[in-house]
Amino acid sequence: MIRWAATLAVLLPFLAGPTMAPAAGGLPQAAKSEAQDRAFTVAPRMTMSDPIRSRGNVARQLRTYIEHAPRGSTISIMSFFLSSSITWPALRAAYRRGVNIRAVLYGGPDGRPIPVSWEGARLTEMIRAGRARGRRGSWVVWTRKTARGNDIGNSAMHAKVWQFSRVGRTRKVTMIGSYNNGDPPDSRSYSAMVTLPGPELYDPVQRIFQVSAKDRYVGGNPQRRKSGDGWDLYFFPSTPITRANDPVLERLRSIPARSGTRMTIAMYSWQGFRGAWLARKLAAMVEAGARLTAVVGPDVARSVVRTLREAGARLEDGCWRTGRRSRPYVFTHNKEMTATWVEDGTTRYAAWLGSDDWGNGGGGSQSDQVTIGLYSRWAYNRLNKLLGPQIAHEPDNLAPCDPL
């Protein structure tokens, strides 16, 4: 069922307000802002939200893009929830100046705003008020569990994607990763996002977004794949998920299991029968000579830890106490991986970012997910650098924790 929780419009503030006179020696303030927007460009970028060293890093990047989205452009959001005091004022201002905002958000089993998503609820009310005044082009959909799947189990709209039809001079910008946009994630979890401009990536992701907005089971197995020059994507749900169609297992099979292969994984949740076959595959690769470093998040099964440890993988603690009353834990919320290997005499580099936890349940294959693979030295080096603080953390006791 389509859950349209809003659509549309308020009159632009300047229509009712006075026209600003030119400042001495320059353009009117509005004209200055438009000139700055036209000069702003977006380049490929990868960012980590780090609760220790750069709290709110991704949210501030999003705010910058929102602030440079011109009137008449469109911001498209797929997110598990929205609860950021950093991005909310920017979204509100963007809507008021004439930017279209379209969001597909998780609405629980009933397709209604969940308590943590206060920013999404305010966005919904603002757009509803705009609709009452006749504005069209914006809307919010609160999905009933998964958007494109068949509502099995504890499925959810779990993707983390932001798209901008235009940011300054740059058209068609896409951000994909593991970041839930909100103040609580900013204060306690590590999550990465990659930003890439251009229609080659934007267009296929936007098509999935439009299907997700219908909040209706698409039939068959909703898993989809897309690829382009130096990248590929997979979209879940995948019902069923099998060894034959698991894109992560396919990824691991394509990497040589031998000396010279190095892999790094940071994973919030890793469990279930899918998690077991991925752990066994990685263990076999390590036993054959590959090197693996794994940051173990708070929802990684003990059986996965045991399988990797017995194979000789290096395990790092992905959930630890801070000693602070307000933020007792910080933890990895990443679902990221890097790899490098030699093939036909050439060194290959790869990095993967997205929302897919390595399991067969709600955080994994049964829910809406978007994960991108990037095949470049830049992506590999950049993501490894961003993961460095989690790997360097001591001690590594891997004690079970419940940071939420």
Side-chain angles (χ1 to χ4, degrees):
M1 179 182 296
I2 301 179
R3 305 267 176 183
W4 302 100
T7 66
L8 326 152
V10 282
L11 296 175
L12 296 174
F14 68 82
L15 293 178
T19 301
M20 296 186 65
L27 295 170
Q29 190 63 42
K32 283 184 178 180
S33 178
E34 291 179 3
Q36 290 170 352
D37 285 343
R38 287 195 296 270
F40 187 87
T41 60
V42 177
R45 184 174 179 181
M46 197 181 293
T47 311
M48 181 75 73
S49 181
D50 182 330
I52 304 300
R53 295 162 186 81
S54 54
R55 182 177 177 182
N57 208 21
V58 177
R60 288 191 297 274
Q61 182 184 353
L62 281 167
R63 179 176 63 191
T64 298
Y65 294 161
I66 296 166
E67 289 173 344
H68 286 88
R71 182 176 60 186
S73 66
T74 299
I75 300 172
S76 302
I77 306 166
M78 283 195 290
S79 186
F80 187 49
F81 59 81
L82 295 178
S83 61
S84 172
S85 60
I86 295 173
T87 58
W88 165 241
L91 282 174
R92 180 178 56 201
Y95 181 79
R96 288 174 176 174
R97 72 172 175 268
V99 176
N100 296 315
I101 301 174
R102 301 169 180 175
V104 179
L105 307 174
Y106 174 57
D110 300 319
R112 298 177 180 177
I114 58 177
V116 71
S117 200
W118 63 262
E119 182 184 7
R122 290 186 185 180
L123 179 65
T124 299
E125 289 305 313
M126 181 176 66
I127 292 173
R128 180 178 290 133
R131 181 180 184 177
R133 298 176 183 176
R135 181 172 168 180
R136 298 294 182 267
S138 297
W139 40 259
V140 178
V141 174
W142 295 91
T143 70
R144 183 182 180 276
K145 296 189 175 182
T146 172
R148 297 186 305 114
N150 56 5
D151 291 352
I152 63 175
N154 59 343
S155 59
M157 212 306 301
H158 193 250
K160 296 97 167 58
V161 177
W162 289 65
Q163 290 195 289
F164 300 82
S165 66
R166 184 174 171 184
V167 181
R169 288 194 305 165
T170 306
R171 297 185 181 276
K172 296 192 172 181
V173 175
T174 301
M175 292 182 70
I176 295 173
S178 55
Y179 174 67
N180 284 321
N181 184 49
D183 295 338
D186 285 347
S187 69
R188 61 193 183 195
S189 63
Y190 293 86
S191 300
M193 295 287 278
V194 64
T195 303
L196 297 166
E200 186 185 29
L201 176 63
Y202 181 98
D203 291 346
V205 176
Q206 181 63 202
R207 285 192 288 270
I208 292 293
F209 174 79
Q210 294 294 339
V211 173
S212 299
K214 297 178 180 179
D215 192 20
R216 183 183 302 135
Y217 176 41
V218 298
N221 190 337
Q223 183 185 148
R224 300 290 184 269
R225 309 277 191 99
K226 299 292 179 182
S227 61
D229 184 15
W231 60 269
D232 57 30
L233 285 166
Y234 66 86
F235 303 89
F236 280 172
S238 182
T239 47
I241 188 75
T242 68
R243 288 179 177 85
N245 70 15
D246 186 345
V248 179
L249 188 58
E250 181 180 305
R251 173 198 312 172
L252 298 180
R253 287 169 175 158
S254 70
I255 300 172
R258 58 174 178 248
S259 177
T261 294
R262 299 192 304 276
M263 299 173 290
T264 299
I265 296 167
M267 194 60 55
Y268 169 77
S269 180
W270 185 348
Q271 55 182 268
F273 58 77
R274 181 186 178 214
W277 72 51
L278 294 175
R280 288 194 297 268
K281 174 58 178 175
L282 284 161
M285 296 174 73
V286 172
E287 290 167 349
R291 290 167 51 191
L292 170 64
T293 298
V295 180
V296 178
D299 198 32
V300 175
R302 295 296 98 188
S303 58
V304 168
V305 172
R306 184 169 55 253
T307 297
L308 299 179
R309 177 181 282 141
E310 291 175 353
R314 174 185 174 186
L315 302 181
E316 301 286 344
D317 195 352
C319 183
W320 63 88
R321 291 185 180 274
T322 64
R324 303 174 186 176
R325 181 173 299 178
S326 61
R327 290 183 291 159
Y329 285 102
V330 294
F331 60 95
T332 187
H333 188 256
N334 294 108
K335 302 93 167 54
E336 272 74 74
M337 175 177 172
T338 68
T340 184
W341 65 95
V342 176
E343 185 176 337
D344 299 328
T346 301
T347 303
R348 311 290 183 181
Y349 301 94
W352 293 268
L353 303 90
S355 59
D356 175 29
D357 288 301
W358 287 1
N360 47 282
S365 63
Q366 291 183 355
S367 294
D368 295 280
Q369 315 285 5
V370 182
T371 292
I372 186 169
L374 300 171
Y375 304 96
S376 72
R377 189 170 185 173
W378 168 79
Y380 170 83
N381 287 336
R382 179 61 178 162
L383 186 51
N384 277 339
K385 181 177 181 180
L386 292 174
L387 292 173
Q390 297 175 67
I391 294 170
H393 169 74
E394 298 289 349
D396 293 321
N397 57 23
L398 302 182
C401 73
D402 184 5
L404 303 182

